[in-house]
Amino acid sequence: MPDYTPPVEDMGFLLKDVFQAEKILTGLPGYEDVSADLVESILEEAGKFCAGVLRPINQSGDEEGSRLVDGKVFTPKGFKEAFKAFVDGGWSSLSAPTEFEGQGLPRTVQILVDEMLSASNLSFGLFPGLTRGACEAIEAHASQELKDTYLPKMISGQWTGAMGLTEGTAGSDLGLLKTTAKPNGDGSYTVSGSKIFISSGDHDMAENVIHLVLARLPDAPAGTKGISLFLCPKFLVNEDGSLGERNSVNVGSLEHKMGIHAQPTCVMNYDDCKGWLVGEVNRGLNGMFTMMNAERLFVGVQGLGLADSSYQTASTYAKERKQGRAPGAKESGMIIEHPDVRKMLLTMLSFVEAARALTIFTALEMDKESKSTDAEVRKQSTGLVALLTPVIKAAFTDFGFEATVLGQQVLGGHGYIKEWGQEQFVRDARIAQIYEGTNGIQAQDLVVRKLSLEGGATVRGFFGDISATLAEGAKVPALAETATAVAAALATLEDVTAWLTTGEGANGLEQNSAATDYLRMFALVTFGWLWVRMGLAVVAKGNAATPHETRKLAVAHFFATRILPQAHALAVQIKAGSAPLMAVASAEF
Amino acid sequence: MPDYTPPVEDMGFLLKDVFQAEKILTGLPGYEDVSADLVESILEEAGKFCAGVLRPINQSGDEEGSRLVDGKVFTPKGFKEAFKAFVDGGWSSLSAPTEFEGQGLPRTVQILVDEMLSASNLSFGLFPGLTRGACEAIEAHASQELKDTYLPKMISGQWTGAMGLTEGTAGSDLGLLKTTAKPNGDGSYTVSGSKIFISSGDHDMAENVIHLVLARLPDAPAGTKGISLFLCPKFLVNEDGSLGERNSVNVGSLEHKMGIHAQPTCVMNYDDCKGWLVGEVNRGLNGMFTMMNAERLFVGVQGLGLADSSYQTASTYAKERKQGRAPGAKESGMIIEHPDVRKMLLTMLSFVEAARALTIFTALEMDKESKSTDAEVRKQSTGLVALLTPVIKAAFTDFGFEATVLGQQVLGGHGYIKEWGQEQFVRDARIAQIYEGTNGIQAQDLVVRKLSLEGGATVRGFFGDISATLAEGAKVPALAETATAVAAALATLEDVTAWLTTGEGANGLEQNSAATDYLRMFALVTFGWLWVRMGLAVVAKGNAATPHETRKLAVAHFFATRILPQAHALAVQIKAGSAPLMAVASAEF
């Protein structure tokens, strides 16, 4: 597997030239010291860690996989040492609250580190990612005692976290879950049930694993309104914070999966284990949803990171591989000269850079949401983040997966064998379209719930921002054609949005029938907007723009002319409505 | 992994009701006895073999994989026995010429058997598939002595075949290959070189493996015009036909691949091995291209077969899996009721059935091409087959792969774990987009070479046939909307075709820049045409149509309204031209 080159330079361009992140962040209480230089040095160091420590064990981790021996999970060679280095480097506490010994850095910094973790070694990146998610749920909902007992050690990386949601017959529909919890009378509960697909459910890299488990109390209402959240540690914790006896939180088996082989995805048995309630009775899903925006942004960047990794290998290969005469050439040249190879690479690139821009845009909104002193700003950011979260989760992982497939295709047969690592990126990327809510569920969330936020004002405001950028772009010769194409796509998107929210399509059946096509269309237009924004930043730099930055104008034009037209077809497909989907009787499939 | 249900009923509908295959086949010399009943009984038996013998060892074969031990290849448990049963059942000789002890059945029958072989166990199906390809090259080009020595035993399945084309630095561009051959003076040659990606290069299922190897003679011209084809058997053959000494045809290693694990993909070393020239000196590529149409049709149906397998599991799962309230429903139902699940299943289905129709249409043309006594018919069939071959190879494997990804998505997390087999279909399907000429090469072939066949008359004739069907469809109320949508897409395709062949796009650079988008567009319109043809056949049956057949009218409508609109976007993308692809300097990728 080739080396990984951390995209720190591109991140810097986006932070500084496109989004003026320093100004936004240092204006927020708690982030006053988060200068551009500080962020750059953190990203540099994180990149070195990912490229130097995590990437070298990515392929070997895939080959070896995690193993279950006598009820204990062993991660592949090098993972334990890498995790120790990760913890020692302070990477696990980066954005955690200072109150619990975290470093209190912005989400914006965290998410860019997450991209590099995912890109270099997704299986590894899931360990700290899930721990962070568990910490956020505990922080938002648990009692002070639970917070004080668990958070500092989870944040330091001494302990890790896991989420016990899915059961054999309850996946997307958690209302069907059967795990039970009974009060013991001493404030603790006895939790009993079996969960599947539990990432990081057990391993040998940390002393303790803290499970957050969804379960039903006796006499809880049926469905999603009868679910509570419990904290069940692998080892019970003594009053002095030391580890006590083993709790009956047991690994039934490891799932055998298409990819992320190094990541131990467990069947977990909670065999009358001891647990503590997190948050209110019967409001367990609230606890889970607290962290959903952040987790879904994290899953989105997994698609982005793997696409970038695949792009890096594919572009290097294409510049070094001699084969076939390009049109008009007299003899065999490098395959990068072939238009179709370029089309594949540009498709990948136009996704990767736009997705990274949207990641930063959204993370900055999340930072504003949690830190701004201006209630109006917070409210607006909350709306934007809610709107964009399903788009990021689903579109980044769909386009990201497709990008890894293209990156494999560029290498031909060499992409299919394991040597170059391209096929691993495809297998690893595939899961991100499924977990943390399938992409179909994300699309449903976007269309059914998010378009109607603030009576539609949120989405209208977002489209308005896009429109303003496009008007600016249309005035710049180097961007005019691009901006005009995006404006046409935006007009179509606005039309379809109106159809789905106030027109003929404004009902559950049509909305659900439109959802996945609509989300894709929404993402394409959003990417187009960001390409114009990036283009404007390049133009504004004038002669100071590097060749690498000037390239972005050409990639923007490629995206607008050779990818974005799909948006118009999607609109036609959506307006064809639900009838073509519902005509075949269920039994006839 | 769930059972496989051979689609014999659907094949029967296509053969009888859509294409009147019996009439065509029995009108060809040599096929007089190939009645619909005979074909049906062959397909029934083949289906039983595939479902009963090959599918049960598909997943275990993937898990175990082929192994190389002390220079010998061992196939997974059960493969040797299955191959014996395959040979004993006469399946290896089905369509081989009677002159060499084959059964002389039509290509049309063979390709439908191939679909079921691929669907049930692709790794297995490649063994007989490659043997057949090698036999066809030998039959068309080798001396009578070589034919008599090798063909009967390869056709009976006593020996198998392999193709030695690709080298480490020569893949799509075979002109770069370095393997050498020197005449020994006794009519034999000494072949020396190393080849990679050699499917079925060695194994334990048959006595001998016959390699067809591309190599250069001393003083051969550079490039593709200096390549000759040699037959190099693993064991030399004595004059009496018995096996003689071991030839130095050696397995260097097995490739470690994303999928088709049971299939031994070998690095082969031809260490001064003995070989015999097949065909003329320096015209080795001709020998390979002889069998290319047939091989590419075979690779196309691999995509089709795996898509059908994935569809079968996904549709069964969707009807049995309870989860989530569908729009308008009061409680959780089966996921088949969700519009988005239906969209995924219908996307798969609309590809599978149209692709199967195109397979039969094309195979019938191939049978006419090889057997018709009418030179004009032969000529026309040759043109059609040449035109459609790259479309079938690339579009079936692209759409087929995408279908397996959708079929995996329908199962959510259960699609990502190995248990249900959906992830294996994805991994296995992926290779078909790459081997036998990558799909980019196919698209180039279509646009650069095939559109200009007979000065464009071939493609115009094909579009004319489509037009005639659509005019008929437009008159039938149940098909009018579908036919109209396909007609609009056809008009766009004709316009782009003119642009690429006689307009601004009629040059190598534009054609190559358009190729993959064009091929996809061509395939979509062709599928639309076949949906109207199938729809007309259903309508013609009136009340005799089964519910399963009547379903096809709804699937046709789904395809025309919710998939086909992409064709118009592809046209816009194509006409944006090469400039957006060529603007970035090679070094800037």
Side-chain angles (χ1 to χ4, degrees):
Chain A
M1 181 172 280
D3 290 344
Y4 171 60
T5 305
V8 176
E9 190 188 326
D10 266 307
M11 290 172 175
F13 169 79
L14 291 166
L15 289 167
K16 286 180 211 168
D17 298 305
V18 179
F19 296 111
Q20 290 80 41
E22 186 180 57
K23 199 176 150 202
I24 295 172
L25 292 174
T26 56
L28 296 171
Y31 299 154
E32 294 86 349
D33 301 331
V34 184
S35 67
D37 286 350
L38 175 67
V39 172
E40 194 187 321
S41 69
I42 292 170
L43 295 178
E44 284 282 0
E45 286 307 309
K48 277 183 205 161
F49 181 82
C50 292
V53 177
L54 297 185
R55 171 54 66 89
I57 55 170
N58 189 40
Q59 192 166 24
S60 57
D62 178 67
E63 277 160 25
E64 187 183 338
S66 276
R67 290 159 299 124
L68 180 67
V69 182
D70 298 335
K72 288 184 182 171
V73 174
F74 294 89
T75 53
K77 191 159 175 277
F79 271 61
K80 202 169 167 174
E81 294 74 17
F83 192 73
K84 187 174 182 310
F86 181 84
V87 168
D88 290 348
W91 296 111
S92 75
S93 61
L94 202 63
S95 60
T98 49
E99 187 190 346
F100 300 103
E101 300 169 35
Q103 299 171 57
L105 282 159
R107 174 80 60 188
T108 305
V109 177
Q110 180 68 57
I111 199 68
L112 293 174
V113 174
D114 286 345
E115 182 199 319
M116 296 189 282
L117 288 172
S118 308
S120 58
N121 194 324
L122 179 59
S123 284
F124 183 95
L126 290 174
F127 288 101
L130 285 159
T131 302
R132 201 166 61 239
C135 287
E136 287 174 14
I138 293 170
E139 197 204 337
H141 298 281
S143 66
Q144 192 63 38
E145 197 187 334
L146 287 177
K147 288 188 203 179
D148 291 339
T149 306
Y150 291 95
L151 285 180
K153 286 183 175 155
M154 292 175 77
I155 285 168
S156 73
Q158 199 173 339
W159 300 346
T160 67
M163 309 286 176
L165 283 73
T166 304
E167 297 179 7
T169 52
S172 299
D173 187 356
L174 288 168
L176 299 172
L177 69 80
K178 297 191 180 105
T179 297
T180 59
K182 288 178 197 153
N184 297 331
D186 63 352
S188 74
Y189 292 78
T190 296
V191 176
S192 184
S194 189
K195 300 271 180 182
I196 61 171
F197 304 158
I198 309 305
S199 298
S200 311
D202 194 31
H203 56 85
D204 55 355
M205 308 195 312
E207 294 168 7
N208 203 359
V209 182
I210 313 307
H211 291 251
L212 293 184
V213 182
L214 291 177
R216 287 185 186 288
L217 285 165
D219 308 319
T224 53
K225 287 175 184 163
I227 297 173
S228 306
L229 183 63
F230 298 87
L231 184 156
C232 306
K234 177 178 170 183
F235 286 97
L236 299 176
V237 180
N238 297 324
E239 293 227 345
D240 64 356
S242 64
L243 292 185
E245 49 176 313
R246 183 75 162 74
N247 201 2
S248 46
V249 169
N250 301 308
V251 182
S253 60
L254 293 183
E255 308 281 6
H256 295 98
K257 313 182 297 290
M258 183 184 194
I260 52 167
H261 291 160
Q263 166 60 227
T265 310
C266 301
V267 173
M268 292 301 308
N269 298 321
Y270 304 99
D271 302 316
D272 289 340
C273 75
K274 211 164 179 182
W276 286 266
L277 184 68
V278 174
E280 292 173 47
V281 163
N282 293 339
R283 302 211 49 193
L285 286 189
N286 267 43
M288 298 314 269
F289 282 121
T290 294
M291 51 169 208
M292 277 295 180
N293 278 347
E295 281 296 303
R296 287 178 174 174
L297 185 64
F298 173 49
V299 174
V301 299
Q302 294 168 16
L304 157 58
L306 291 169
D308 187 27
S309 280
S310 180
Y311 172 79
Q312 291 187 14
T313 299
S315 62
T316 302
Y317 183 90
K319 285 186 278 191
E320 292 171 357
R321 174 80 174 177
K322 190 171 170 181
Q323 195 137 114
R325 276 187 302 117
K330 284 205 178 124
E331 51 187 50
S332 290
M334 302 307 162
I335 64 170
I336 190 88
E337 292 155 30
H338 288 271
D340 191 55
V341 171
R342 291 173 152 260
K343 181 153 82 76
M344 291 192 274
L345 292 173
L346 286 164
T347 302
M348 299 172 80
L349 193 55
S350 66
F351 157 67
V352 165
E353 297 199 357
R356 191 175 289 132
L358 184 56
T359 299
I360 294 177
F361 173 81
T362 308
L364 286 168
E365 292 300 327
M366 291 174 89
D367 285 326
K368 288 197 252 174
E369 181 188 6
S370 64
K371 297 284 183 185
S372 176
T373 52
D374 183 333
E376 190 48 46
V377 168
R378 285 203 308 274
K379 187 181 149 191
Q380 196 161 345
S381 294
T382 299
L384 264 174
V385 170
L387 177 69
L388 294 174
T389 295
V391 178
I392 287 176
K393 195 283 176 179
F396 284 22
T397 60
D398 280 348
F399 285 102
F401 173 74
E402 291 162 24
T404 62
V405 171
L406 288 174
Q408 187 183 23
Q409 192 73 17
V410 169
L411 273 75
H414 297 278
Y416 195 68
I417 59 171
K418 294 189 177 286
E419 194 179 343
W420 283 82
Q422 293 294 75
E423 63 87 36
Q424 187 187 342
F425 297 138
V426 174
R427 288 185 290 106
D428 286 357
R430 186 67 186 88
I431 186 57
Q433 299 173 284
I434 297 170
Y435 61 19
E436 287 295 334
T438 64
N439 286 357
I441 298 278
Q442 303 301 321
Q444 217 172 302
D445 178 44
L446 173 66
V447 177
V448 178
R449 278 187 293 271
K450 301 302 172 63
L451 293 185
S452 57
L453 286 175
E454 303 286 333
T458 304
V459 69
R460 277 196 304 275
F462 180 63
F463 291 163
D465 289 347
I466 294 181
S467 229
T469 305
L470 300 180
E472 233 185 294
K475 290 180 215 146
V476 177
L479 280 168
E481 195 185 336
T482 300
T484 307
V486 180
L490 175 63
T492 306
L493 177 62
E494 288 180 310
D495 173 65
V496 172
T497 306
W499 185 80
L500 279 172
T501 50
T502 57
E504 277 179 70
N507 62 71
L509 180 61
E510 289 308 326
Q511 290 174 340
N512 276 284
S513 301
T516 50
D517 282 344
Y518 180 83
L519 187 145
R520 195 172 180 93
M521 188 188 180
F522 191 106
L524 287 167
V525 172
T526 305
F527 291 159
W529 165 57
L530 290 161
W531 273 114
V532 175
R533 276 194 79 154
M534 290 189 276
L536 286 167
V538 172
V539 170
K541 288 187 90 167
N543 291 335
T546 65
H548 185 75
E549 286 165 357
T550 307
R551 177 188 80 172
K552 292 177 199 293
L553 294 170
V555 181
H557 183 242
F558 163 82
F559 180 81
T561 54
R562 301 228 33 164
I563 300 286
L564 188 60
Q566 291 166 29
H568 300 285
L570 289 166
V572 174
Q573 291 168 202
I574 290 166
K575 287 208 176 170
S578 63
L581 303 181
M582 306 313 286
V584 175
S586 293
E588 282 303 323
F589 278 90
Chain B
M1 179 171 281
D3 289 344
Y4 171 60
T5 305
V8 176
E9 190 187 326
D10 266 306
M11 290 173 175
F13 169 79
L14 291 166
L15 289 167
K16 287 181 211 166
D17 297 304
V18 179
F19 296 111
Q20 290 79 42
E22 185 180 61
K23 198 177 150 199
I24 296 171
L25 292 173
T26 56
L28 296 170
Y31 298 155
E32 295 86 350
D33 301 331
V34 184
S35 65
D37 287 349
L38 175 66
V39 172
E40 194 188 320
S41 69
I42 292 170
L43 296 177
E44 285 282 1
E45 285 307 309
K48 277 183 204 162
F49 181 82
C50 292
V53 178
L54 298 184
R55 171 53 66 90
I57 56 171
N58 190 40
Q59 192 166 23
S60 57
D62 177 68
E63 277 160 25
E64 187 183 337
S66 276
R67 290 159 302 126
L68 180 66
V69 183
D70 298 335
K72 286 184 184 172
V73 174
F74 295 89
T75 52
K77 190 159 177 278
F79 271 61
K80 203 170 166 174
E81 294 73 17
F83 192 74
K84 186 173 183 307
F86 181 83
V87 169
D88 290 348
W91 296 112
S92 77
S93 62
L94 201 65
S95 60
T98 49
E99 189 190 342
F100 299 102
E101 300 170 35
Q103 297 171 59
L105 283 159
R107 175 79 60 189
T108 306
V109 176
Q110 179 69 57
I111 198 70
L112 294 174
V113 174
D114 285 345
E115 183 200 319
M116 295 189 282
L117 288 171
S118 307
S120 57
N121 194 323
L122 180 58
S123 285
F124 183 95
L126 290 173
F127 288 102
L130 285 159
T131 302
R132 200 166 62 239
C135 287
E136 287 175 14
I138 293 169
E139 196 204 338
H141 298 281
S143 66
Q144 192 62 41
E145 198 186 334
L146 286 178
K147 288 188 204 178
D148 291 339
T149 305
Y150 291 95
L151 285 181
K153 284 180 176 156
M154 293 175 77
I155 285 169
S156 73
Q158 198 173 342
W159 301 346
T160 67
M163 308 286 174
L165 283 73
T166 303
E167 297 179 8
T169 53
S172 298
D173 187 355
L174 288 169
L176 300 170
L177 69 81
K178 296 191 181 104
T179 297
T180 60
K182 287 178 197 154
N184 296 330
D186 63 352
S188 74
Y189 292 79
T190 297
V191 176
S192 183
S194 189
K195 300 273 179 180
I196 62 171
F197 305 157
I198 310 305
S199 299
S200 311
D202 193 30
H203 57 87
D204 56 355
M205 309 195 309
E207 294 169 5
N208 204 359
V209 182
I210 313 307
H211 291 251
L212 293 184
V213 182
L214 290 177
R216 287 185 187 288
L217 285 166
D219 309 319
T224 52
K225 287 174 184 162
I227 296 173
S228 305
L229 184 63
F230 298 89
L231 183 156
C232 306
K234 176 180 171 183
F235 286 97
L236 299 176
V237 180
N238 297 324
E239 294 228 343
D240 64 356
S242 64
L243 293 185
E245 49 177 314
R246 183 74 161 74
N247 201 4
S248 46
V249 169
N250 301 308
V251 182
S253 61
L254 292 184
E255 308 282 7
H256 295 98
K257 314 183 297 288
M258 183 184 195
I260 51 167
H261 292 158
Q263 167 59 229
T265 310
C266 301
V267 173
M268 292 300 309
N269 298 321
Y270 303 99
D271 302 316
D272 290 340
C273 75
K274 211 165 180 181
W276 287 266
L277 184 68
V278 174
E280 291 174 47
V281 163
N282 293 339
R283 304 210 49 194
L285 287 190
N286 267 43
M288 297 317 268
F289 282 122
T290 295
M291 51 170 208
M292 276 297 181
N293 279 346
E295 281 296 303
R296 287 177 173 175
L297 185 63
F298 174 49
V299 175
V301 300
Q302 293 167 18
L304 157 59
L306 291 168
D308 187 27
S309 281
S310 181
Y311 172 79
Q312 291 187 14
T313 299
S315 61
T316 302
Y317 183 90
K319 285 184 279 189
E320 291 171 359
R321 175 80 174 174
K322 191 173 170 180
Q323 195 135 113
R325 275 188 302 118
K330 285 204 179 123
E331 53 187 50
S332 291
M334 301 306 161
I335 64 170
I336 190 86
E337 292 154 30
H338 288 271
D340 191 55
V341 171
R342 291 173 153 260
K343 182 153 82 76
M344 292 193 272
L345 292 173
L346 286 165
T347 302
M348 299 172 80
L349 193 56
S350 67
F351 157 67
V352 165
E353 297 199 357
R356 191 175 290 133
L358 185 57
T359 300
I360 294 176
F361 173 81
T362 309
L364 286 169
E365 293 299 327
M366 291 173 89
D367 285 325
K368 287 198 252 174
E369 181 188 5
S370 64
K371 297 286 185 183
S372 175
T373 51
D374 183 333
E376 191 47 46
V377 168
R378 284 203 308 273
K379 189 181 150 193
Q380 197 163 342
S381 294
T382 299
L384 265 174
V385 171
L387 177 70
L388 294 175
T389 294
V391 178
I392 287 175
K393 195 279 176 183
F396 284 21
T397 60
D398 280 349
F399 286 101
F401 173 74
E402 292 163 23
T404 61
V405 171
L406 288 175
Q408 188 183 20
Q409 192 72 17
V410 169
L411 273 75
H414 297 277
Y416 195 67
I417 58 170
K418 294 188 177 286
E419 194 180 342
W420 282 83
Q422 292 295 73
E423 64 87 36
Q424 186 187 342
F425 296 138
V426 174
R427 288 186 290 106
D428 286 356
R430 186 68 186 86
I431 186 57
Q433 299 173 284
I434 297 169
Y435 61 19
E436 289 294 334
T438 64
N439 286 357
I441 299 277
Q442 304 301 320
Q444 217 172 305
D445 178 45
L446 172 66
V447 177
V448 178
R449 279 187 293 271
K450 301 302 173 61
L451 292 185
S452 58
L453 285 176
E454 303 285 332
T458 304
V459 69
R460 279 195 303 275
F462 180 63
F463 291 163
D465 289 347
I466 294 180
S467 230
T469 305
L470 301 180
E472 233 184 297
K475 290 181 217 147
V476 177
L479 280 168
E481 195 185 337
T482 301
T484 307
V486 179
L490 174 64
T492 307
L493 176 63
E494 288 179 310
D495 172 66
V496 172
T497 305
W499 185 81
L500 280 171
T501 50
T502 58
E504 277 179 70
N507 62 71
L509 181 60
E510 290 306 328
Q511 289 174 339
N512 277 284
S513 300
T516 50
D517 282 344
Y518 180 82
L519 187 144
R520 195 172 180 92
M521 188 188 180
F522 192 107
L524 287 168
V525 172
T526 305
F527 291 158
W529 165 56
L530 291 162
W531 273 115
V532 175
R533 276 193 78 154
M534 289 188 276
L536 286 167
V538 171
V539 170
K541 287 187 92 167
N543 291 336
T546 65
H548 185 75
E549 287 165 356
T550 308
R551 177 187 83 173
K552 292 176 199 291
L553 294 169
V555 180
H557 184 243
F558 164 82
F559 180 82
T561 53
R562 300 231 30 165
I563 300 287
L564 188 59
Q566 292 167 28
H568 300 284
L570 290 165
V572 174
Q573 291 168 203
I574 291 166
K575 286 207 175 171
S578 62
L581 303 182
M582 306 313 286
V584 175
S586 293
E588 283 303 324
F589 277 91

